[in-house]
Amino acid sequence: MLMFRVFIFLLSPLVLFAKTLFTQETILEYLNENNPYYYATMAQERVAKESQRIYSAAFDTQLNLKYDKKEYPTTVGEYQQLDLTKSIGNGMEFSAAYRNAQDTQEYNNIKTGKDGELFTSIKIPILSLINNTSKNQLDFNVAKLQTKTLTQTSRKNLLALYLVSSKAYFELLLYKDIYKTEEALLQKAQQNYQFVLKEVQSGKLANIALMDVKSQIINRKQRLITAKNQYQSTKNNFLKYLNISEEKFNELYTLSSIKKELLFEDELGLEIKEKILLNRPEFQELEYKLDRVNLQSEYNSIRKYPKLDFKLYGVYDLAYEKEGYKISMEFNFPLERTDYSAKNETYKKEVILLKNSKETIKNDIRTNIRTIKQKLTLQKSNIELAKEEIELVGQLEIAEKRRYQEGMSSLLFINQREMLTLQAKQKLLRYHFTMQLLNLQLRYELGTLLQKLSN
C-alpha cells in the first residue's frame, strides 16, 4: 500500500502537467465570442437582428396626447385629446380616444359637450385586408428574411475562417516536421565530426578533414536557423486565428505530424446535388433571397389595383349622452402605373438572376470536386513514389558511409547522400501537406468541413 501511494505521488506531477495533442478539430474550441476573427464573422447577422426589431416597432401600441389653447382678440378655444392607436399586420388600424373641444377650433370644426366625448375609429385598407398583408408587414417580413440571409452569410464566413485557420494549422505541422529533418541533418554532421575526430587523432586522416566536417556543421546550423524561423513564422500566423499566446499554447498542447492518417472522403458516388443543398450555406442564402423577392413581388402585385381605404368613426358625448358616427373613403389609382410595372420587371429579373446564380454555384462546385479528386489521386501516387525514393536514398547513404569508413569515399559524397535523403524526406512532407490541403478543400466543397454548421 505504501509503494502504491509513493507511485501515485510520483505520477501526479506528470498527470497534472500532461499536454493535450492539438488537432484540427481543436481549432473549433477557439472560435468563440472572445475571438475577434470569430466575432467579425457574426457581426452582420447581429446588426440585422437588431434592425429586424426596428421594423417590428410599426406594430407597437402608440399613446398620443394633444393639447391646444388659444386666446385671440376675437376668438378663444381649447382642444384636448388623448388616444391609443394600434396597427396590425393586415394594415388595419384601431384607435380609442377621449377628446374635449370647446369654443372655436383653429384647425378643425370639432366641438364637444363640456365633458368631452369618447372617440373610436378603425381604418380598413381593402386590398391589404383581402391579401392579409400591409407595407409594415412586408417591411417586417423582409427584415426577418434579411436576418436569415445574413445568418447563412455568417455560416459561410465562419466556414471560410475555419478553412483558412486549418490551412495555417497544416502549414505549421509541415514546417515543424521540416525543422525536425534539419535537426536530424545537423545530428548526422555532428556524428560525422566524432568519427573524423577519432580518425584524425589516430593519424588516419589529416586535420583538413576535421575542418571540412566543421564547415558542414556550420552550414547545417544555418539551415536549422532558417527552418526554425519558418516554423516560428507559421506558428505566429496560426496562433493569431486562435487568439492565444505562444506561451499558453506551448503550455497546453503538443503537435502531431503532417503525415498523420488522412480521413479521405470519397463522396463522388453520392448524390452531390442533394448533399450540396443540405450543407452549403450559399444555397440557403440564395433561397432566402428568392423568398424576399417573391414576397416583394406578391405585395407589388396588389398595386396594380386601385387603392381603396375606408375609415369608420364612432363618438359618444359624455354631456349630451348621444352617439354619432362618420364614414370616409380614400381612393387612389395612378393611371400610368409606372412604379408598379417597373418594380414588377425588376423582381422578375432578380428571380432569374438568383436562380442562375444557384446553377452557376452548382456547376462550379461539381467542377472543383472533380479537379480536387484528380489531384488527390495524383498526389497519392507521388506519396508512394516519394516513400520508395526515401528508402532508396537511405540505403545509398548507408552504403556511402560504409565506403567512407573503408577509405573508399569522402565527406563530400557523404554530404551529397545526406542532402539527397533530406530532400526526399522534405519532398514527402510537402506531398502530405498538399494532400491535407486538398482533402480540406474537398470537405469544404462538399459541405462536410464543419457539420455542426450544416443547419
Side-chain angles (χ1 to χ4, degrees):
M1 190 66 179
L2 179 61
M3 291 295 293
F4 177 75
R5 289 180 179 176
V6 172
F7 175 74
I8 294 296
F9 175 76
L10 294 175
L11 184 63
S12 57
L14 298 177
V15 175
L16 184 62
F17 296 105
K19 294 185 179 182
T20 304
L21 179 66
F22 193 97
T23 65
Q24 182 192 351
E25 288 70 27
T26 312
I27 296 172
L28 296 175
E29 297 176 15
Y30 290 88
L31 300 184
N32 54 44
E33 297 291 336
N34 298 321
N35 189 325
Y37 289 92
Y38 172 85
Y39 191 88
T41 67
M42 313 299 290
Q44 286 183 307
E45 177 187 351
R46 288 168 181 172
V47 170
K49 284 182 178 178
E50 294 305 313
S51 297
Q52 178 181 318
R53 293 181 58 211
I54 294 173
Y55 287 101
S56 69
F59 306 108
D60 289 349
T61 302
Q62 304 291 327
L63 173 64
N64 303 296
L65 178 63
K66 183 177 180 181
Y67 179 77
D68 186 21
K69 183 176 181 180
K70 66 177 181 179
E71 293 185 10
Y72 293 164
T74 58
T75 59
V76 294
E78 185 175 18
Y79 184 86
Q80 305 171 52
Q81 180 172 320
L82 175 67
D83 68 78
L84 291 173
T85 60
K86 175 72 175 178
S87 297
I88 60 177
N90 60 14
M92 295 178 66
E93 183 176 293
F94 302 90
S95 177
Y98 167 81
R99 66 186 178 187
N100 192 326
Q102 303 297 322
D103 300 314
T104 304
Q105 301 304 313
E106 187 166 358
Y107 299 110
N108 56 59
N109 61 355
I110 296 171
K111 188 173 182 179
T112 69
K114 62 183 179 60
D115 295 330
E117 64 185 11
L118 299 178
F119 173 87
T120 60
S121 70
I122 178 173
K123 177 183 177 182
I124 307 174
I126 301 301
L127 289 178
S128 292
L129 185 63
I130 293 172
N131 292 276
N132 194 32
T133 188
S134 65
K135 182 62 168 62
N136 287 339
Q137 187 65 50
L138 171 69
D139 291 341
F140 180 60
N141 289 338
V142 167
K144 287 198 295 184
L145 287 171
Q146 179 68 4
T147 301
K148 291 180 178 180
T149 301
L150 290 175
T151 297
Q152 298 306 313
T153 302
S154 295
R155 280 186 58 213
K156 185 171 62 176
N157 293 340
L158 186 53
L159 279 168
L161 175 60
Y162 186 49
L163 178 66
V164 71
S165 56
S166 295
K167 287 180 178 179
Y169 166 69
F170 288 127
E171 188 176 23
L172 172 63
L173 297 186
L174 169 66
Y175 283 105
K176 178 188 71 70
D177 287 351
I178 286 178
Y179 177 70
K180 287 186 176 296
T181 62
E182 295 291 348
E183 275 187 326
L185 183 68
L186 175 59
Q187 289 174 2
K188 287 180 180 180
Q190 291 169 339
Q191 290 170 359
N192 292 338
Y193 176 82
Q194 294 300 323
F195 174 78
V196 171
L197 179 61
K198 291 178 181 178
E199 295 295 292
V200 170
Q201 289 174 343
S202 64
K204 293 181 181 180
L205 290 175
N207 283 334
I208 193 171
L210 203 58
M211 295 172 61
D212 193 8
V213 75
K214 282 182 179 179
S215 175
Q216 285 184 5
I217 289 174
I218 292 172
N219 176 263
R220 293 180 185 186
K221 282 182 177 180
Q222 291 171 335
R223 290 178 60 93
L224 186 63
I225 290 171
T226 301
K228 186 176 182 179
N229 285 337
Q230 288 179 320
Y231 170 49
Q232 189 61 51
S233 295
T234 54
K235 193 172 188 179
N236 292 340
N237 183 58
F238 171 64
L239 293 182
K240 76 179 182 183
Y241 294 113
L242 302 187
N243 195 35
I244 184 176
S245 67
E246 183 178 2
E247 293 76 14
K248 187 68 175 177
F249 183 86
N250 293 339
E251 178 185 333
L252 296 174
Y253 301 109
T254 59
L255 292 169
S256 62
S257 170
I258 192 67
K259 295 187 292 184
K260 73 173 184 177
E261 182 95 12
L262 276 169
L263 296 174
F264 182 74
E265 298 193 27
D266 188 2
E267 299 285 356
L268 284 189
L270 300 176
E271 181 55 49
I272 293 175
K273 178 180 178 182
E274 292 301 320
K275 198 167 188 66
I276 289 170
L277 290 173
L278 286 173
N279 294 296
R280 288 293 292 259
E282 291 92 331
F283 291 103
Q284 285 297 320
E285 189 178 46
L286 289 172
E287 286 295 337
Y288 289 132
K289 287 182 179 180
L290 275 169
D291 289 344
R292 173 184 57 78
V293 175
N294 288 329
L295 193 65
Q296 291 172 320
S297 180
E298 287 174 13
Y299 182 78
N300 187 59
S301 65
I302 300 175
R303 304 177 68 190
K304 64 184 175 183
Y305 304 106
K307 178 183 177 183
L308 182 61
D309 293 347
F310 279 101
K311 279 190 176 182
L312 304 177
Y313 302 86
V315 297
Y316 179 79
D317 192 286
L318 296 173
Y320 295 102
E321 297 184 349
K322 290 185 178 180
E323 299 175 351
Y325 70 89
K326 174 184 174 182
I327 299 175
S328 66
M329 182 187 72
E330 182 181 345
F331 178 87
N332 177 265
F333 186 51
L335 297 179
E336 288 81 4
R337 298 193 299 173
T338 304
D339 186 63
Y340 158 74
S341 58
K343 286 184 176 179
N344 190 48
E345 290 301 314
T346 299
Y347 295 142
K348 285 180 180 179
K349 287 178 170 55
E350 273 196 75
V351 169
I352 294 172
L353 176 62
L354 290 169
K355 287 182 177 179
N356 284 334
S357 296
K358 286 178 67 175
E359 292 304 314
T360 300
I361 293 174
K362 287 178 188 177
N363 290 335
D364 288 344
I365 290 174
R366 288 193 179 99
T367 301
N368 291 342
I369 289 173
R370 284 194 295 269
T371 302
I372 292 170
K373 293 285 286 186
Q374 291 168 356
K375 290 181 178 180
L376 280 168
T377 301
L378 293 173
Q379 205 64 22
K380 281 183 174 180
S381 300
N382 282 334
I383 287 175
E384 293 305 314
L385 290 172
K387 288 178 180 178
E388 293 180 15
E389 183 183 9
I390 289 173
E391 185 177 355
L392 179 61
V393 295
Q395 292 174 356
L396 291 172
E397 180 186 328
I398 292 172
E400 195 67 47
K401 286 183 177 179
R402 287 175 180 168
R403 294 183 68 229
Y404 178 73
Q405 292 171 359
E406 295 170 359
M408 301 172 61
S409 184
S410 68
L411 285 172
L412 176 62
F413 290 115
I414 290 179
N415 182 55
Q416 289 176 347
R417 292 297 184 190
E418 288 176 346
M419 292 302 298
L420 288 173
T421 302
L422 175 76
Q423 290 168 7
K425 287 181 177 179
Q426 291 187 354
K427 187 192 302 182
L428 177 61
L429 292 175
R430 294 184 185 279
Y431 285 154
H432 275 287
F433 172 67
T434 303
M435 192 80 165
Q436 292 280 18
L437 294 191
L438 289 171
N439 188 63
L440 190 67
Q441 191 66 38
L442 178 62
R443 291 169 59 198
Y444 176 80
E445 296 292 344
L446 290 168
T448 60
L449 178 60
L450 206 48
Q451 292 286 9
K452 65 184 286 186
L453 294 180
S454 60
N455 297 317

